[in-house]
Amino acid sequence: MRVFFFLLCSFIVLNSFALNLSTEWTMVSRKMIHVSCEEDETVCQNFCQGHMACMTEEKVCKNCVGTSIAMTYAFQEMGRSIVAGDQLDPYFLFDFLSQKNYVTLTSRSVYNLVDSFDSMSLRRKFRSLCQDGTRYPMVFFNKTEGGEFGRAQAIWCDSGVFQVEYLSSPQSTEVEVF
């Protein structure tokens, strides 16, 4: 009986986050994030100004296309050194989206010049971030004041938004002069 109760509670917790995110590039090279809400997700509906779905534009990132140290680290260490931590409140994600100072990465990211586009190995890396079988997890990175690629801040999975933990620190992009 206890096992049944535990499984029932786990199912309710895992399916209580009612938000779906996906990205799309428009014909005029604008990256859009589609936000879809469930009926009981008032935080999401507030973000979408009372609607059940909306889109928000992800501004251009200055150094995202390429094989910089930061981009290479992000794609190579996804799911290995960059992992999901504690679950965050949904308000975190909507506040983060409202600031419009972020970059998102998925296994289908056009910014990926490090690995094959949406390869099975890259998909496995991203999918390992979520414990709920999310097909295309989305990782949110902040942008620096100069509009460049920053540090990972959050991971969106079907079951919620999670804090990012770095198991090893990203390599510095600064060059020491002797």
Side-chain angles (χ1 to χ4, degrees):
M1 187 64 164
R2 287 184 186 182
V3 172
F4 175 73
F5 181 72
F6 175 75
L7 290 174
L8 179 63
C9 288
S10 297
F11 180 74
I12 291 170
V13 169
L14 286 176
N15 290 316
S16 65
F17 192 68
L19 170 68
N20 190 23
L21 298 178
S22 62
T23 59
E24 171 187 307
W25 285 88
T26 67
M27 296 298 286
V28 291
S29 300
R30 291 173 53 201
K31 187 175 180 184
M32 305 299 289
I33 296 181
H34 293 266
V35 179
S36 300
C37 314
E38 293 292 325
E39 289 183 32
D40 60 343
E41 188 60 49
T42 55
V43 178
C44 180
Q45 290 176 17
N46 288 340
F47 178 79
C48 289
Q49 299 175 349
H51 295 93
M52 298 299 289
C54 60
M55 291 190 302
T56 184
E57 183 177 358
E58 181 179 319
K59 300 294 182 185
V60 175
C61 175
K62 289 185 180 179
N63 67 337
C64 286
V65 177
T67 56
S68 68
I69 292 173
M71 290 304 287
T72 300
Y73 182 85
F75 283 108
Q76 287 184 344
E77 296 301 317
M78 197 62 63
R80 188 166 46 181
S81 293
I82 301 171
V83 297
D86 295 332
Q87 189 163 3
L88 296 168
D89 187 292
Y91 286 104
F92 176 86
L93 178 64
F94 294 111
D95 287 343
F96 197 71
L97 289 171
S98 295
Q99 293 172 11
K100 297 195 179 280
N101 195 28
Y102 59 87
V103 176
T104 60
L105 295 182
T106 68
S107 64
R108 298 189 278 185
S109 177
V110 298
Y111 293 142
N112 174 20
L113 298 180
V114 176
D115 201 343
S116 299
F117 179 81
D118 201 26
S119 68
M120 283 306 290
S121 64
L122 190 58
R123 268 191 258 163
R124 273 193 294 276
K125 288 178 184 181
F126 274 87
R127 287 179 182 169
S128 72
L129 297 170
C130 301
Q131 302 302 310
D132 60 9
T134 302
R135 288 192 64 191
Y136 291 102
M138 190 177 297
V139 182
F140 290 83
F141 291 77
N142 66 352
K143 286 197 285 189
T144 65
E145 288 182 18
E148 296 179 342
F149 188 72
R151 289 181 58 90
Q153 300 296 311
I155 300 165
W156 170 80
C157 300
D158 288 339
S159 61
V161 178
F162 297 87
Q163 177 181 336
V164 171
E165 288 185 15
Y166 281 91
L167 299 181
S168 65
S169 63
Q171 297 175 359
S172 174
T173 57
E174 297 177 16
V175 177
E176 290 184 33
V177 178
F178 294 100

